[in-house]
Amino acid sequence: MAGMVVVPAARIAMPVNGTPIPAFFEFALHIDSACFHSLTPLAIIGAAILVVALLRRGPARLVSFCQNALPLLAGFSTCLAIYLLSSGGGACKLAIGDQMRETTFYKRTLEQFALLETAQGRLEKLREGLRKDRSLKAITVSSVSEFSDTEARERISSLMEILPKITDPATKRQILATLCLFRKQINTISYVVRELPRYATEAGAPPTNTPAETLDWIANNLHKDGWEPGPLIKLNR
């Protein structure tokens, strides 16, 4: 299992993701093939030693040697297998972590692009582009309740990240109004929206002191003077 599955999987995954290989794990990547091919000879030798040790037939020195060699061989093989499994598992975990971070970055970048396209009235163009890639769909949801807690936090972070990139006040008002829909979730990650009062002032809202005050003002002015939330889009496979 270690030599045929776990360590080869780590060897493939780590270079693909550019994961640096710790020296402790790297040695296992060099010896796994030799260990795998030695499995059959070791099994044959171990079976022969076991038979002699159990039957106690033959020269006394040979029997004694087999009885002493059997636990040593079993212990060595077990320790080597544990090392290969732990090294391959640790390397795979590192590679999976890098892959998850890379996927999260791509997803957030695509999500921000979708939010900007939607805010600028190009939702149908976005959907048409996604139709060409059948692995993704832009789905309009009716309420923020359809977002999980993780999805809501990611959406709040994406909305906050694109606010500094927007220079058009009307588009910025729409993004802020959309952000206001996630008020309950924002209470749990208030540090993310600490710059919200400044962005709201740039969009035409009166000066406020805290993000909570800003969100209260936006909530009271939704659907007025351009403070119109955009459609809630989820990118799904």
Side-chain angles (χ1 to χ4, degrees), residues 89-142:
C92 281
K93 183 176 181 179
L94 291 174
I96 290 171
D98 282 349
Q99 181 63 52
M100 289 179 64
R101 284 188 288 272
E102 183 177 342
T103 302
T104 299
F105 172 77
Y106 292 148
K107 180 181 178 182
R108 179 164 292 182
T109 300
L110 182 58
E111 185 180 79
Q112 290 178 8
F113 171 75
L115 289 171
L116 286 171
E117 289 292 286
T118 302
Q120 295 172 9
R122 294 194 290 267
L123 176 58
E124 288 306 316
K125 182 179 179 181
L126 171 66
R127 282 180 168 158
E128 182 62 29
L130 291 176
R131 286 191 192 103
K132 298 177 182 179
D133 181 2
R134 297 183 180 180
S135 64
L136 285 176
K137 296 179 181 179
I139 301 174
T140 303
V141 299
S142 59

Side-chain angles (χ1 to χ4, degrees), residues 21-218:
I21 304 175
F24 180 80
F25 298 155
E26 187 177 10
F27 182 67
L29 302 182
H30 293 307
I31 65 172
D32 72 298
S33 180
C35 292
F36 175 70
H37 288 97
S38 67
L39 180 62
T40 300
L42 282 175
I44 294 173
I45 293 172
I49 292 176
L50 176 64
V51 170
V52 175
L54 290 177
L55 297 180
R56 299 181 181 181
R57 299 291 178 87
R61 294 181 65 180
L62 177 63
V63 173
S64 177
F65 170 80
C66 290
Q67 289 176 334
N68 293 325
L70 186 63
L72 292 176
L73 179 63
F76 173 77
S77 300
T78 301
C79 291
L80 185 60
I82 292 173
Y83 168 70
L84 290 174
L85 285 171
S86 61
S87 296
C92 281
K93 183 176 181 179
L94 291 174
I96 290 171
D98 282 349
Q99 181 63 52
M100 289 179 64
R101 284 188 288 272
E102 183 177 342
T103 302
T104 299
F105 172 77
Y106 292 148
K107 180 181 178 182
R108 179 164 292 182
T109 300
L110 182 58
E111 185 180 79
Q112 290 178 8
F113 171 75
L115 289 171
L116 286 171
E117 289 292 286
T118 302
Q120 295 172 9
R122 294 194 290 267
L123 176 58
E124 288 306 316
K125 182 179 179 181
L126 171 66
R127 282 180 168 158
E128 182 62 29
L130 291 176
R131 286 191 192 103
K132 298 177 182 179
D133 181 2
R134 297 183 180 180
S135 64
L136 285 176
K137 296 179 181 179
I139 301 174
T140 303
V141 299
S142 59
S143 171
V144 296
S145 62
E146 297 186 42
F147 288 79
S148 67
D149 290 340
T150 301
E151 290 173 337
R153 286 193 294 269
E154 291 178 352
R155 181 57 53 90
I156 292 167
S157 297
S158 295
L159 289 167
M160 288 301 301
E161 286 177 9
I162 64 175
L163 277 172
K165 306 174 185 177
I166 300 173
T167 56
D168 178 41
T171 303
K172 187 167 288 190
R173 282 194 292 270
Q174 187 180 63
I175 296 297
L176 287 165
T178 305
L179 191 61
C180 183
L181 300 178
F182 293 90
R183 291 175 66 192
K184 291 182 179 180
Q185 291 82 358
I186 286 175
N187 292 332
T188 63
I189 52 172
S190 57
Y191 62 92
V192 175
V193 296
R194 57 183 178 275
E195 298 296 327
L196 191 60
R198 177 166 64 86
Y199 297 138
T201 303
E202 293 173 356
T208 51
N209 296 320
T210 65
E213 292 179 9
T214 304
L215 291 171
D216 287 340
W217 185 91
I218 296 174

